[in-house]
Amino acid sequence: MEEKSNKIPDRVDQPSTVIRTRYRWMQKIMLFLVVFGPGLIVMEADNDAGAVSTYTQAGAQYGLHMLWVLLLLLPITYFSQEMVARLGIATGKGHATMIYRRFGKWWGRFSVFDLQLLNFLTLVTEFAGINLATSQMKLSPDITVPLVAVGTIIMVLTASYRRWESITVFLCLLDIAWIIYAIRLGFSFEKITPAAISFFPSGQGITSSYIFLVIAVVGTTIAPWQLFFQQSCVADKRLRFSDLGYARLDTMIGAIFTIIVAGCMMIVGYMAVHSAIGYVYKNPAQMATSLGAYFGTIVKSGLLLLICNASILGITAVSLSSAWAYAEVMNWPTGLELKPKQAIGFYLIYILGVLAAAGLVLIPKAPLQLIIMTVQVLAGIMLPSSMIFLQLLLNDRELLGNEFVNRPWNNWINWTIIIGLFALSIILAVQVVLPQLFSS
Amino acid sequence: MKSRDLFKKEHSDEQSYVVIHPLDDQPEQKKDLSNFEPMKMTFTVRLSLIILRVYLISMILLLAYHFLNLTGIIKL
């Protein structure tokens, strides 16, 4: 597959684009740093407004008893995303293009339509997060929601992949504050006792609400847009075959960081219930306000800003996955390095998605609850399909050759993950659509 | 040429290692997908797509039932 050229790239001789070092180890570190980004972003952007809500609720209701779910999800998220990174590096194409080319127009259109719909509804929930958090800050959502929409549009319109990536990585790293807050609210490792982290709270068996929250945590941690996003991002960044090892490390670090942050979100929810006497969890913004009454304004404002940060990360990543996927299958020019006039369709999809979602949230009495439920059901339908296509593509020896195709152990792990996701997605969809079957 | 092949490069009388950002590097020749036909329908591929179809149809029926239930046309 790889075609080697003996010609030294012209740009190599330009001092501004070449970093020279005398040490091999320094070169490896620098190489990792230039490749680093897509893996962290795709993972951490999934800790979006919906995830903050799910994780803090899980912590508030079940304390530390759901930390095991996150630990279980660590290898699952890594293996899923490693596959798309590998596919992106091997083909230089996005996930939507690959489904279109290898499974035909029907499956291609189905995947893209489903993704666009699901992503748009997810965007609405991100702006709902901004609405909720800024309302608690006594700021008018009529100002903050459009402001965030314009900000996230400007982020991509600068026509520089590196600028967008730097800003987004910075926003991801701001989530370290969740760890600080977990400690600030009084959490210490002494609280992690076998009884505290057992699968179920003492005296309680499996209840329907427990199962639902487990499924919600799984559904929140692995989302269909992530598969499309990372492959397109890797292709847009033009990662080379030799970058695969670093891309894997990037994905691994992203997965570990995201799971730690998610765990801290659970801990914050848990500490909120244990710190504030008589506190009953409603939503993360209300939780931040309640904690503010005990720990001061800094805690309240900080947590509300973290909810906004989660939403902003979700908005830019989800919108980009839509824009990349649609523009790729339409054969439009795509890429964050292109100026807006060079990739009008690509940028237009991004802008229209953001503006429409922001506008919908500002409509009084918008059916947000219905939208959230639809997101859950559609995600349930979409995720196993995307995973199956991914698994089949990664076994496509004609396409990938021996170097990038799945190994047998990859297949055992991946089919196990897919079967598990199928089962969970069906239970989630049935739970949402037929809740009476789960009433206990 | 892969950028990493350029890293170990004689530079005056000492060796230096070069790092190039992927966006500044010469684009690599990836697989040309324009000549690719849809994937061969092996047993695994066929079975996977059948399961996917059954799954999708079941979910659509479930959603249709939910819609009818909400509108009060049928009740469980």
Side-chain angles (χ1 to χ4, degrees), chain A residues 2 5 11 18-21 27 89 101-102 162 238-242 246 380 399 422 429 433-434, chain B residues 1-4 7 17-20 22-25 28 30 33 36-37 39 55 59 65-66:
Chain A
E2 187 181 330
S5 157
R11 291 184 183 186
V18 174
I19 306 163
R20 293 181 195 279
T21 174
Q27 181 208 33
I89 287 176
R101 291 270 166 82
R102 298 303 275 158
R162 274 171 275 211
R238 298 212 311 247
L239 291 191
R240 302 150 292 201
F241 300 122
S242 55
Y246 297 106
L399 176 73
F422 252 103
V433 177
L434 305 170
Chain B
M1 177 182 272
K2 286 197 296 183
S3 56
R4 197 140 338 156
F7 296 158
Y17 296 96
V18 178
V19 178
I20 307 165
L23 289 168
D24 296 326
D25 205 351
E28 277 179 335
K30 308 280 186 183
L33 296 174
F36 269 72
E37 294 294 315
M39 192 180 276
Y55 167 77
M59 299 302 256
Y65 167 77
H66 183 57

Side-chain angles (χ1 to χ4, degrees), chain A residues 368-432:
Chain A
L368 293 178
Q369 195 53 41
L370 180 69
I371 290 170
I372 291 167
M373 192 187 84
T374 313
V375 167
Q376 287 174 335
V377 175
L378 275 178
I381 293 173
M382 182 75 179
L383 186 57
S385 349
S386 307
M387 290 292 289
I388 281 205
F389 289 130
L390 183 60
Q391 173 68 351
L392 293 176
L393 285 168
L394 263 298
N395 279 284
D396 191 348
R397 207 169 286 273
E398 187 189 357
L399 176 73
L400 299 178
N402 289 328
E403 194 180 351
F404 292 100
V405 80
N406 266 358
R407 302 281 175 265
W409 65 267
N410 281 126
N411 285 331
W412 277 107
I413 292 172
N414 295 335
W415 282 120
T416 308
I417 292 172
I418 288 169
I419 290 167
L421 288 177
F422 252 103
L424 288 178
S425 296
I426 290 168
I427 295 171
L428 175 65
V430 173
Q431 205 281 341
V432 172

Side-chain angles (χ1 to χ4, degrees), chain A residues 86 95 183 206 234 290:
Chain A
R86 188 153 32 108
H95 197 52
I183 297 166
I206 302 176
V234 159
S290 299

Side-chain angles (χ1 to χ4, degrees), chain A residues 430-431 433-440, chain B residues 65 69 76:
Chain A
V430 173
Q431 205 281 341
V433 177
L434 305 170
Q436 64 271 30
L437 290 183
F438 287 78
S439 55
S440 61
Chain B
Y65 167 77
N69 195 27
L76 189 70

Side-chain angles (χ1 to χ4, degrees), chain A residues 183-432:
Chain A
I183 297 166
R184 171 76 181 80
L185 297 181
F187 178 78
S188 66
F189 283 104
E190 289 162 11
K191 293 188 190 298
I192 302 181
T193 59
I197 58 167
S198 61
F199 285 4
F200 310 108
S202 60
Q204 291 184 37
I206 302 176
T207 60
S208 60
S209 67
Y210 182 84
I211 292 174
F212 180 69
L213 257 181
V214 169
I215 295 169
V217 168
V218 175
T220 302
T221 315
I222 311 167
W225 68 263
Q226 291 181 282
L227 305 177
F228 289 81
F229 175 91
Q230 192 173 6
Q231 191 172 337
S232 294
C233 194
V234 159
D236 202 359
K237 195 173 180 180
R238 298 212 311 247
L239 291 191
R240 302 150 292 201
F241 300 122
S242 55
D243 293 327
L244 180 58
Y246 297 106
R248 281 177 170 145
L249 185 58
D250 174 27
T251 308
M252 174 66 84
I253 290 172
I256 293 170
F257 181 67
T258 301
I259 293 296
I260 289 173
V261 170
C264 288
M265 288 176 186
M266 271 190 193
I267 289 167
V268 168
Y270 164 66
M271 296 309 293
V273 171
H274 284 73
S275 309
I277 298 163
Y279 169 73
V280 178
Y281 183 91
K282 286 181 188 160
N283 62 56
Q286 170 262 359
M287 177 194 78
T289 306
S290 299
L291 281 170
Y294 286 86
F295 294 97
T297 316
I298 293 176
V299 168
K300 175 192 166 185
S301 305
L303 284 173
L304 290 173
L305 284 173
L306 282 175
I307 296 168
C308 292
N309 185 48
S311 294
I312 292 168
L313 276 172
I315 291 165
T316 190
V318 171
S319 305
L320 268 178
S321 85
S322 291
W324 268 319
Y326 196 78
E328 279 164 9
V329 296
M330 297 300 287
N331 269 327
W332 293 343
T334 62
L336 289 169
E337 283 286 297
L338 297 176
K339 291 186 170 66
K341 64 181 177 185
Q342 293 173 309
I344 295 170
F346 167 70
Y347 286 111
L348 211 57
I349 295 291
Y350 183 98
I351 293 168
L352 287 177
V354 169
L355 292 181
L360 191 62
V361 167
L362 291 179
I363 294 172
K365 294 180 183 173
L368 293 178
Q369 195 53 41
L370 180 69
I371 290 170
I372 291 167
M373 192 187 84
T374 313
V375 167
Q376 287 174 335
V377 175
L378 275 178
I381 293 173
M382 182 75 179
L383 186 57
S385 349
S386 307
M387 290 292 289
I388 281 205
F389 289 130
L390 183 60
Q391 173 68 351
L392 293 176
L393 285 168
L394 263 298
N395 279 284
D396 191 348
R397 207 169 286 273
E398 187 189 357
L399 176 73
L400 299 178
N402 289 328
E403 194 180 351
F404 292 100
V405 80
N406 266 358
R407 302 281 175 265
W409 65 267
N410 281 126
N411 285 331
W412 277 107
I413 292 172
N414 295 335
W415 282 120
T416 308
I417 292 172
I418 288 169
I419 290 167
L421 288 177
F422 252 103
L424 288 178
S425 296
I426 290 168
I427 295 171
L428 175 65
V430 173
Q431 205 281 341
V432 172

